[in-house]
Amino acid sequence: MFKNILFYKKKTKRKKIGVALGSGSSRGWAHIGVLDALDKNGIKIDYIAGTSIGSFVGAIYAAGELKSLKNFALKMKWKDVLNNLDFTFPRYGFLTTEKVSNMINMHTNIKQFNELNIPLKIIATNLLTGEQVIMDSGNIVDAVSASGSVPGIVIPFVRNGEILVDGGLVNPVPVDIVKEMGADVVIAIDLSKGIIDHKLKKQKKVSKKNIDQKLYSEIYFKNIENPIIKKLTRKLTKAEKVVFEKVGSWKKSKVDLPNIFETFATSIDIMETQITKMNFRISKPDVIIRPKLGDLKFFDFNLGEKAINEGYKRTIEKMEEIKSLINQ
């Protein structure tokens, strides 16, 4: 009476995985550890969105060259950090982005977004309008340069007539972008963990009566300890004697005040921490990985091993949660 009916089990569609790589200067090497841990546990990434240092690591990963970047970060010394910084006279910023191309080219020959193995979106901020700019086509170096142009430190990047700066000003951890790309499970890597707590622990009360007014004129080049400040000082000419004296005052002294780089970077870190909290309420990620690297400063790229290991460790702690979400 009844015809034979073929029963079959519907094939389960694999969930698409997206990662949102947050901004965070030298703490961004933690992204390498996160991505390495995901790879080693068989987690295939389908979409990537990155801001600032997250855009750089994301671009290299999407090009299939994470191992090369990892080796580079692990071997990085202070002199390597300096060699990869391009100082300029501080009219628009202290650094240019001209060496970004070298940093990318040493790991991959890929130049355009459409050549990448994994879809990638990079976030920047339009300095004139304050709007978010999403880049996913054209030249990768330009996009990474724009996304990493930290206001006050790096010269703004001009792309297609727009003046672009760090995407962290509007979207430090671009979870919403990864969701829009089509990800079913979004893993957010937030590098702001412990930043404010660390700053509070180091805070010291400095009253005006404790400030040596002769400090700015007496401390000069020979006393500058920070190698980055030394290189900046050499780049300035004799005509900028006043600037030199200011630079000289940045050395460690009885007055424990942050130098100009730390001031800019810390201000942006605090702002991005608050923006990330608000953004997560609006567009909540499925998994948040928060490496604890609040003690790392802006230029501590020579501490790659510490950052990578921390990123790897925090990802392994979340691995069961990640796999559970994928297999639901």
Side-chain angles (χ1 to χ4, degrees):
M1 182 175 178
F2 294 100
K3 293 183 177 179
N4 291 330
I5 299 175
L6 178 63
F7 290 95
Y8 66 93
K9 184 177 181 180
K10 185 178 180 180
K11 186 177 181 180
T12 303
K13 183 181 178 182
R14 186 181 72 82
K15 290 188 176 181
K16 300 291 185 180
I17 313 302
V19 293
L21 304 178
S23 58
S25 60
S26 64
R27 299 187 302 278
W29 283 157
H31 291 318
I32 298 173
V34 172
L35 295 169
D36 191 30
L38 294 174
D39 279 353
K40 288 179 178 178
N41 281 271
I43 308 300
K44 175 180 169 53
I45 296 173
D46 301 282
Y47 305 106
I48 303 172
T51 298
S52 196
I53 185 65
S55 72
F56 174 73
V57 177
I60 302 301
Y61 181 79
E65 297 295 345
L66 183 67
K67 184 177 180 180
S68 174
L69 181 60
K70 180 180 179 180
N71 291 335
F72 171 78
L74 289 173
K75 295 177 182 178
M76 207 169 198
K77 306 298 182 184
W78 253 121
K79 65 178 182 179
D80 300 312
V81 177
L82 292 171
N83 289 337
N84 285 287
L85 296 177
D86 192 23
F87 289 91
T88 185
F89 181 75
R91 182 179 180 185
Y92 305 111
F94 288 98
L95 304 171
T96 73
T97 57
E98 292 181 5
K99 290 192 176 182
V100 172
S101 59
N102 296 336
M103 290 282 288
I104 293 178
N105 292 338
M106 70 173 64
H107 302 294
T108 178
N109 293 321
I110 289 178
K111 309 291 184 187
Q112 304 292 317
F113 277 87
N114 59 12
E115 300 177 74
L116 296 171
N117 300 326
I118 303 171
L120 168 70
K121 289 184 184 290
I122 291 176
I123 315 304
T125 304
N126 186 315
L127 187 60
L128 300 180
T129 67
E131 295 178 344
Q132 174 176 262
V133 177
I134 303 171
M135 296 168 283
D136 59 3
S137 63
N139 188 279
I140 295 171
V141 172
D142 287 353
V144 172
S145 298
S147 184
S149 294
V150 182
I153 297 179
V154 183
I155 293 177
F157 192 87
V158 179
R159 182 180 188 267
N160 298 331
E162 296 178 315
I163 300 177
L164 304 178
V165 293
D166 196 333
L169 299 182
V170 290
N171 203 346
V173 189
V175 171
D176 57 326
I177 305 303
V178 181
K179 288 186 176 182
E180 290 172 5
M181 293 173 77
D184 299 307
V185 176
V186 177
I187 303 170
I189 297 84
D190 176 14
L191 302 177
S192 65
K193 178 71 173 179
I195 290 175
I196 296 178
D197 290 341
H198 179 74
K199 300 299 179 185
L200 289 173
K201 288 178 183 178
K202 290 189 65 178
Q203 185 180 19
K204 293 181 180 180
K205 294 182 179 179
V206 181
S207 61
K208 291 183 178 180
K209 64 180 181 181
N210 291 328
I211 297 178
D212 185 353
Q213 297 299 324
K214 295 182 179 180
L215 180 68
Y216 289 13
S217 58
E218 293 180 354
I219 299 174
Y220 211 52
F221 299 117
K222 63 181 180 179
N223 292 322
I224 300 175
E225 298 172 353
N226 189 312
I228 290 178
I229 305 305
K230 274 188 177 181
K231 185 162 184 176
L232 172 60
T233 303
R234 294 192 189 101
K235 288 287 183 179
L236 300 174
T237 65
K238 293 181 180 180
E240 285 79 46
K241 185 176 180 180
V242 175
V243 178
F244 285 160
E245 292 173 352
K246 294 293 185 182
V247 172
S249 72
W250 295 347
K251 71 173 284 296
K252 289 183 179 179
S253 66
K254 292 182 295 183
V255 184
D256 191 17
L257 295 174
N259 64 50
I260 190 169
F261 291 116
E262 292 173 344
T263 300
F264 279 134
T266 301
S267 299
I268 291 173
D269 283 341
I270 292 171
M271 177 194 68
E272 291 184 354
T273 299
Q274 301 305 321
I275 292 174
T276 298
K277 288 180 180 178
M278 291 186 291
N279 286 354
F280 280 180
R281 293 192 190 107
I282 298 170
S283 186
K284 187 177 180 180
D286 298 289
V287 179
I288 305 175
I289 297 172
R290 290 191 169 106
K292 297 179 181 179
L293 296 167
D295 58 324
L296 262 62
K297 295 181 180 178
F298 188 90
F299 288 113
D300 284 345
F301 290 97
N302 57 309
L303 301 180
E305 183 175 6
K306 177 179 180 177
I308 291 171
N309 289 343
E310 176 65 9
Y312 189 93
K313 177 183 177 181
R314 299 303 168 189
T315 306
I316 294 301
E317 290 176 352
K318 295 279 187 173
M319 195 55 63
E320 287 188 15
E321 181 183 350
I322 295 170
K323 290 183 176 180
S324 176
L325 286 168
I326 294 173
N327 295 325
Q328 279 180 1

